Amino acid sequence: PPRSTLFPYTTLFRSEMQEDNEGYVISVKRLLEQAKNNENIGKRVVGVVAKLMQVPQQYEVAIEFALGASVQNIVTKNDEDTKYLVNYLKQNNFGRATFLPISEVKERSVPDYVRSKMNMAGVLGVASELIKFDKAYLPIFNHLLGGTVIVDTLSTAVTLSQKAGYVVKVVTLDGDIINPSGAVTGGSRKETSTNLISREREIKDLMAKLESEKTEIEELENKIAKLQEKQSSVNDIVLKLNSTLHEKEIEIGKE
């Protein structure tokens, strides 16, 4: 089938995945579902980390690997809400989840002496400063990404980690990680894995393309309508000319 036929269905499929919270672990998925329909749950769930930020496309892989499983953490306002939700999971046998109460999380940061070494080529910035989010969630993203530096390549990561004395996590655009302990995590990654961070951006991109295609179709339909009008006018003229010609032929036949 042509792209124009498949495209709306691709967009719909991705939107349904987003709406159904596909890709999340079952406990998180169930809490997000309950948050929509149960006021007691909804007022206690601020959101899931993946949905509370906007990540520029070039940093999506790096942020995904920097966060790891934390991308599915549930954000709450305080400890009371967290305790309520933990008990709710237990009572309903929904499994386990990790919660981040805004009022309690410990914020992390890159020390000033490390920042002074970040002016080297290939260092892109502190992870929490490369993404966008509501300022109310600053403690959450400082906790998760405030002590992480994003760089271009593993070579840059090694150099910066050595200069900084291995006190911050350094992540490359390809998702390789040098931890403060000196441990290195890297290698190939599954292209088919569900990237929760990029999904919303992809849906917005697809919707924008869909709207663009709709506009093109409308413009083409308008052009077709105008051509049909012109064709109708031409047909009328041809009919009149044929009628006139026929009348002239009759007059000539009478002479």
Side-chain angles (χ1 to χ4, degrees):
R3 178 177 177 273
S4 59
T5 302
L6 290 175
F7 185 60
Y9 295 103
T10 303
T11 306
L12 178 61
F13 174 69
R14 289 179 179 271
S15 297
E16 286 177 346
M17 284 181 65
Q18 181 79 330
E19 184 68 21
D20 294 338
N21 298 307
E22 291 299 327
Y24 290 93
V25 296
I26 191 64
S27 56
V28 172
K29 184 175 179 179
R30 284 175 171 169
L31 266 184
L32 293 176
E33 288 170 352
Q34 291 298 312
K36 283 192 241 177
N37 306 312
N38 184 327
E39 185 180 353
N40 267 338
I41 301 301
K43 68 182 182 182
R44 291 178 168 85
V45 173
V46 172
V48 63
V49 168
K51 294 186 178 186
L52 296 178
M53 60 181 170
Q54 296 82 48
V55 182
Q57 188 173 355
Q58 66 267 34
Y59 302 131
E60 285 175 353
V61 172
I63 297 297
E64 178 191 7
F65 280 90
L67 287 170
S70 298
V71 74
Q72 300 200 36
N73 286 178
I74 297 289
V75 177
T76 61
K77 296 187 195 75
N78 50 52
D79 274 344
E80 287 302 312
D81 288 344
T82 298
K83 285 188 286 186
Y84 183 94
L85 294 171
V86 168
N87 287 330
Y88 183 82
L89 289 177
K90 288 180 179 178
Q91 290 164 6
N92 291 277
N93 198 27
F94 279 172
R96 299 167 67 85
T98 298
F99 297 89
L100 300 174
I102 295 173
S103 63
E104 304 298 330
V105 291
K106 180 180 179 181
E107 297 186 45
R108 298 185 177 96
S109 62
V110 173
D112 289 340
Y113 77 89
V114 175
R115 283 184 180 270
S116 68
K117 302 177 187 300
M118 286 173 54
N119 57 0
M120 58 183 283
V123 177
L124 303 171
V126 177
S128 61
E129 297 169 8
L130 296 175
I131 63 176
K132 294 180 180 179
F133 49 83
D134 189 294
K135 63 182 180 181
Y137 309 138
L138 182 61
I140 297 298
F141 289 105
N142 275 345
H143 167 72
L144 294 171
L145 298 169
T148 299
V149 178
I150 306 298
V151 301
D152 56 356
T153 64
L154 186 58
S155 177
T156 303
V158 169
T159 301
L160 178 62
S161 293
Q162 290 173 343
K163 287 185 176 182
Y166 294 95
V167 296
V168 295
K169 179 189 286 187
V170 183
V171 184
T172 71
L173 292 177
D174 200 38
D176 298 322
I177 302 171
I178 298 184
N179 293 284
S181 64
V184 179
T185 303
S188 63
R189 51 191 174 86
K190 292 181 180 179
E191 294 296 334
T192 56
S193 63
T194 302
N195 188 342
L196 298 173
I197 293 173
S198 69
R199 184 189 295 166
E200 187 170 347
R201 191 257 318 153
E202 288 174 349
I203 290 172
K204 287 179 180 177
D205 288 348
L206 286 170
M207 292 302 290
K209 288 178 182 177
L210 181 58
E211 286 303 315
S212 176
E213 288 198 355
K214 283 181 179 178
T215 300
E216 288 178 15
I217 291 170
E218 288 173 1
E219 289 174 353
L220 288 171
E221 287 175 342
N222 288 334
K223 287 181 181 179
I224 290 170
K226 289 178 181 178
L227 287 172
Q228 287 174 337
E229 287 178 9
K230 287 182 179 179
Q231 184 180 13
S232 179
S233 297
V234 170
N235 288 340
D236 288 342
I237 292 170
V238 170
L239 285 172
K240 289 178 182 178
L241 288 173
N242 284 335
S243 178
T244 302
L245 178 60
H246 183 64
E247 289 173 358
K248 293 293 184 183
E249 287 175 344
I250 292 173
E251 288 177 7
I252 293 171
K254 289 178 178 180
E255 292 179 356

